[in-house]
Amino acid sequence: MTPFLVAGRTPAPLAVICALLLPGACSAGQATPGDPQTSRAQAVSAAVPAGKAHPANPRFLYVIYCNGTVDRLDLARPAKVSSFALSERSGTPPAVAVAPSPGVKPDSCLARPTATDGTGGAAERQVRLVATPQFYRSDADGQKAYRLLTFSLPDWTLRQQADLGMFDVLNGTPPRMVRGPQAGHWVPRPSEGAPDATAELAGYAGGQGLAFARFTQWSGDVSLVEFAGPGPSQGTPQAQAGFADHAARRFVRLADPTDAGSGPVRLAPGGRFAVREVQRPQAPAPSAQGAADTAPSRNTGELRVYRTADGQQVASVADARIAGTWNGIAITPGGWAVYTDGRGAYRFVALGRTFGTEPVQDGETDDLDGTRPGLVYSGQ
């Protein structure tokens, strides 16, 4: 089986529209040329790179965090079955930095997946990571040295490493690698940022009247679009989402919730469906002075499935076990929504359907808060 990889920061020019976009859309930085339980269901443009297809129902999911931790999830059970540090499997001295003490966070990603290499032979059992042997950046210039590491699956033995050079992680993120002009060569992806897609979408059926539009995720021919559109009060833009079908040159908006529920949207593999996490504001908490403080929105445990062809909701699943501070990290081809508490525990919610074989990709490269880890699907 061929592994599939999914690799966050928004370019500085988009910072001015962060308040208009969906939760989690923006964070600081400029890109550089880098006791599980189960529930059952209740009820591209030229700037977008293509991804390799993966098995329709891969057995294992490897979750790779920026601190170099790898968790292996068995999606057939489903459960986390093992965990290890890449520093323990990356040679001597380690090609992935060792944390100076337990729980200490690096100042930028220590390891991040890149694309797979080919579709046959040994390549089916390989994973490539962009990694650094430096835990902290240089005080002199804010740089770190990065390497391209090749590991074998399922044992995660280091097979090859290639020097990538020094990269500025003070004002950017680790390099994101793409295939170079020569076979077997990899080069850093150019720092093209996230271009405004408003003009392109204006030429799509249904794509008029958008502002600050950008493609944030893509799978197959479909991109998730985040944009600013008119709100209930005229002249007050609101963060909204929709779907662009690049083959049909058609854009549709995500259907507005009728009960004021909102939250982050994630494409499912194949691009035919998307899943929205329903969040609602918590009850205001009293401050020390007795006044009520504004509380952030809270995950309710409800997930809504939408069809990207028309933006309409087609299913809803509720699971109180993922309510609160649990973070959604993946929608799997076999139909699991995978959540983690950020401390090594996982929960799996069945969405009641299977999805496509094209991977979901995005333009993000860093993930210091652990809510967008790199993903590797594999049959081993």
Side-chain angles (χ1 to χ4, degrees):
M1 296 253 183
T2 304
F4 130 64
L5 311 182
V6 183
R9 293 183 179 169
T10 302
L14 290 177
V16 294
I17 65 168
C18 284
L20 301 178
L21 298 176
L22 298 181
C26 298
S27 55
Q30 176 74 31
T32 307
D35 183 25
Q37 303 175 54
T38 308
S39 75
R40 294 291 169 185
Q42 299 171 347
V44 152
S45 97
V48 177
K52 293 289 183 183
H54 58 75
N57 195 15
R59 174 70 184 268
F60 295 101
L61 171 58
Y62 294 95
V63 183
I64 305 170
Y65 291 95
C66 269
N67 64 2
T69 299
V70 178
D71 290 340
R72 186 180 192 230
L73 311 185
D74 185 339
L75 299 176
R77 296 175 59 174
K80 182 173 85 169
V81 292
S82 64
S83 183
F84 61 89
L86 283 168
S87 59
E88 301 169 352
R89 307 195 183 190
S90 59
T92 305
V96 179
V98 180
S101 58
V104 176
K105 291 185 177 182
D107 53 23
S108 64
C109 274
L110 300 182
R112 197 71 175 152
T114 185
T116 53
D117 172 351
T119 58
E124 294 184 349
R125 299 181 295 277
Q126 292 180 346
V127 172
R128 282 179 169 79
L129 305 177
V130 174
T132 178
Q134 294 178 236
F135 196 83
Y136 296 116
R137 62 179 176 256
S138 167
D139 290 334
D141 55 13
Q143 293 193 337
K144 279 187 178 182
Y146 278 89
R147 303 172 185 171
L148 184 63
L149 309 182
T150 302
F151 290 86
S152 62
L153 290 179
D155 55 350
W156 283 81
T157 299
L158 181 61
R159 298 301 184 187
Q160 292 179 327
Q161 52 181 304
D163 219 0
L164 297 176
M166 303 296 293
F167 291 85
D168 181 359
V169 296
L170 177 61
N171 300 305
T173 61
R176 186 80 173 268
M177 305 304 294
V178 296
R179 290 179 180 83
Q182 298 179 356
H185 286 203
W186 296 78
V187 296
R189 188 176 68 190
S191 178
E192 60 194 16
D196 193 322
T198 306
E200 178 179 342
L201 291 172
Y204 283 33
Q208 298 73 44
L210 311 182
F212 304 119
R214 65 190 186 113
F215 304 128
T216 57
Q217 296 177 15
W218 48 90
S219 182
D221 291 326
V222 177
S223 289
L224 173 65
V225 180
E226 295 177 358
F227 64 97
S233 302
Q234 188 172 2
T236 303
Q238 274 191 342
Q240 298 183 38
F243 308 104
D245 185 325
H246 300 287
R249 295 186 61 81
R250 183 181 65 247
F251 173 80
V252 299
R253 298 173 186 244
L254 181 72
D256 290 330
T258 58
D259 54 1
S262 63
V265 183
R266 181 190 296 270
L267 276 182
R272 295 182 297 110
F273 295 94
V275 178
R276 183 170 210 166
E277 181 180 286
V278 178
Q279 297 181 348
R280 293 191 178 88
Q282 304 177 53
S287 66
Q289 292 74 32
D293 290 336
T294 302
S297 294
R298 180 179 183 272
N299 176 14
T300 64
E302 181 184 357
L303 302 175
R304 295 176 179 174
V305 182
Y306 292 81
R307 189 170 46 228
T308 61
D310 56 12
Q312 296 301 307
Q313 181 180 331
V314 295
S316 176
V317 178
D319 189 336
R321 298 174 308 113
I322 61 168
T325 58
W326 288 77
N327 295 308
I329 59 169
I331 304 297
T332 73
W336 294 112
V338 183
Y339 274 71
T340 181
D341 64 353
R343 298 185 296 274
Y346 294 87
R347 287 176 177 169
F348 304 81
V349 180
L351 298 174
R353 67 189 63 227
T354 57
F355 301 112
T357 59
E358 297 87 356
V360 177
Q361 300 184 89
D362 57 47
E364 298 173 344
T365 58
D366 217 337
D367 179 33
L368 291 179
D369 63 1
T371 60
R372 297 181 306 277
L375 307 176
V376 176
Y377 290 97
S378 178
Q380 304 178 71

